[in-house]
Amino acid sequence: MDIFHIEGPVRLSGSVSINGSKNASLPIMAAAILAPGESSLKSVPHLSDISVCGKLLSQLGCKLTREPDGDLRIDSTVIDNPVGEYEIVRRMRAGICILGPLLARCGRAEVSMPGGCAIGDRPVNLHIRGLQELGAQIHLKNGYIIAEAPNGLRGKDIFMGGPFGSTVLGTANVLMAATLAKGRTVIESAACEPEITDLANCLNKMGARITGIGSPRLIIEGVKELQPVEFKVIPDRIEAGTFMVAAAITEGELRLQNCRLDDMMAVVDRLRNIGVTVDAEGDGCLVTRTGPIKPADITTQPYPGFPTDLQAQFMALLSLTDGNSVIIEKVFPDRFMHVAELNRMAANLRKEGPVVIVAGVKKLIAAPVMASDLRASAALVLAGLAAEGSTTIQRVYHIDRGYERIEKRLNPAGAKITRESV
Ligand code: EPU
């Protein structure tokens, strides 16, 4: 239960290297289940969610090792317990993405139904329906999804869209299962997020036959088996976006290394529109803010739209403009736990259903606040960097789920963040 103390305001100036993507790493780790043997993954970040995923794979029978060079080795030669326990899946919803690969490899899987979380209900009906379309028999028992396909899965044309558009982990689950199904699967309305593209590229390197990668129509020709793989995960676009906002909110200048602007067009477009300079440079970019920033309207959408995972961070930034902004959350309509906390720091935010009206204020004022979920907590850190005085953030473990030692990364650039272990 660590606490952050953040002294503000500061002006950041320096460089930060972006780590491998958490949300690409998690399904790619699950993909190792599909190919008996030892896979080796590069750029998997050192985060608590990754450790939890490792634990989940270990319970199935896999052996995991972190090499001195940081590579993560997953030996999936033996999988003798195809069960994703509640104790683990309740801590990390992404645990659900072992369902498809386990079913494809073992013909059976039991995975705890993930519960809701601070950002909303988060159902898994589309995951289940997609796997049923591939021929799996699925029922619920004692809070577990029991999926069976003793005679293997069969390819099919599947529509994966839901009321909020595509589903990222649902697409990952069905895509992974379909690689070993008999015949051809078409996933229509597939998620197009770069993390799904990375997963599909990794699966193809393992011997899968996937085309349409990056589009909403994925076509998968089933193969008999996949081979273990060596694969490097893409940089984390959400971490990069968070650090871009850190530069902007502190009127600073940050050089981001290992950052793919191509994956972040909607974010870079918003930043440039409000008056922040983002210049491509080497393998990353330089983000600079020299003057006042303008208000903006932001609507979160599945990729290539503006990502919900940066909505909270942009709300902190837009709090400090001269005028009104409107933020509409179309992916997780309840993802607003940060609103009340930012208001405690003298922001002027009014929530109406899935919409927040951001009335710009001249300054934010430090306050004790509570981290509630990963991205909401990141927004509080950003607000703390810009606010006058000493901000205290409780429940820092939420931040540690997605940002590796954020204080060690930002302090060399001028942040004053101290971690207190309680
Ligand atoms: N949905 C359904 N039914 C389903 C699945 C999803 O109705 O079966 C709805 C959800 O309730 C939501 C929308 O579809 O309204 C999109 O949810 P999605 O399934 O795409 O979310 P996810 O796959 O569970 C991943 C990321 C999230 C990110 C979302 C959206 C991982 C591990 N998680 O979640 O990341 O917000 O996609 O981009 O990849 C984070 O990193 O902080 C985070 C929450």
Side-chain angles (χ1 to χ4, degrees), residues 3-272:
I3 293 177
F4 271 167
H5 300 283
I6 306 180
E7 294 300 324
V10 293
R11 182 182 174 278
L12 295 187
S13 172
S15 57
V16 190
S17 181
I18 303 303
N19 287 334
S21 159
K22 164 180 85 77
N23 289 349
S25 297
L26 294 169
I28 288 174
M29 287 170 73
I33 294 171
L34 292 163
E38 189 176 86
S39 287
S40 175
L41 305 178
K42 280 192 189 309
S43 287
V44 174
H46 292 79
L47 298 170
S48 54
D49 269 12
I50 298 293
S51 314
V52 173
C53 184
K55 216 174 194 175
L56 192 58
L57 294 176
S58 303
Q59 283 197 351
L60 306 177
C62 298
K63 293 191 173 61
L64 280 84
T65 7
R66 269 283 187 185
E67 297 298 314
D69 61 5
D71 289 6
L72 179 66
R73 286 184 192 277
I74 304 176
D75 183 345
S76 65
T77 307
V78 177
I79 294 205
D80 49 11
N81 178 38
V83 182
E85 301 282 356
Y86 173 66
E87 266 319 299
I88 298 191
V89 178
R90 79 177 172 82
R91 285 168 60 196
M92 192 199 52
R93 281 185 41 92
I96 189 72
C97 66
I98 61 171
L99 182 63
L102 271 185
L103 183 63
R105 162 127 181 221
C106 308
R108 181 183 167 82
E110 293 181 30
V111 180
S112 168
M113 275 284 274
C117 70
I119 69 176
D121 289 348
R122 308 191 72 181
V124 289
N125 57 315
L126 298 169
H127 301 231
I128 292 177
R129 222 181 58 204
L131 295 172
Q132 281 172 332
E133 296 267 18
L134 292 178
Q137 300 290 322
I138 299 187
H139 66 280
L140 297 183
K141 193 175 162 195
N142 302 333
Y144 279 73
I145 302 164
I146 318 281
E148 287 162 309
N151 301 318
L153 298 165
R154 287 182 313 276
K156 193 157 179 216
D157 292 3
I158 305 173
F159 179 76
M160 286 284 301
F164 301 98
S166 51
T167 157
V168 176
L169 290 177
T171 301
N173 247 330
V174 176
L175 172 65
M176 288 191 274
T179 56
L180 292 179
K182 284 191 200 90
R184 184 176 118 128
T185 299
V186 176
I187 305 178
E188 190 65 84
S189 199
C192 303
E193 270 67 6
E195 294 76 20
I196 292 295
T197 296
D198 212 33
L199 170 66
N201 287 334
C202 176
L203 289 167
N204 274 354
K205 202 168 175 203
M206 294 165 80
R209 292 176 57 204
I210 305 167
T211 53
I213 295 175
S215 84
R217 186 183 175 89
L218 291 172
I219 301 167
I220 305 115
E221 300 288 346
V223 296
K224 284 215 158 44
E225 57 180 23
L226 297 178
Q227 287 80 46
V229 71
E230 274 185 29
F231 192 78
K232 184 170 180 209
V233 172
I234 51 168
D236 196 312
R237 67 193 167 104
I238 305 301
E239 183 177 88
T242 303
F243 291 156
M244 286 178 178
V245 175
I249 203 169
T250 62
E251 298 196 40
E253 182 181 85
L254 275 185
R255 184 163 274 109
L256 305 187
Q257 289 145 353
N258 190 36
C259 154
R260 302 200 326 180
L261 290 186
D262 278 358
D263 292 346
M264 304 181 64
M265 299 274 280
V267 176
V268 171
D269 177 69
R270 278 303 78 182
L271 284 170
R272 287 179 176 151

Side-chain angles (χ1 to χ4, degrees), residues 348-362:
N348 186 355
L349 312 172
R350 188 160 62 84
K351 177 172 137 27
E352 287 287 337
V355 179
V356 171
I357 317 288
V358 183
V361 293
K362 290 245 169 326

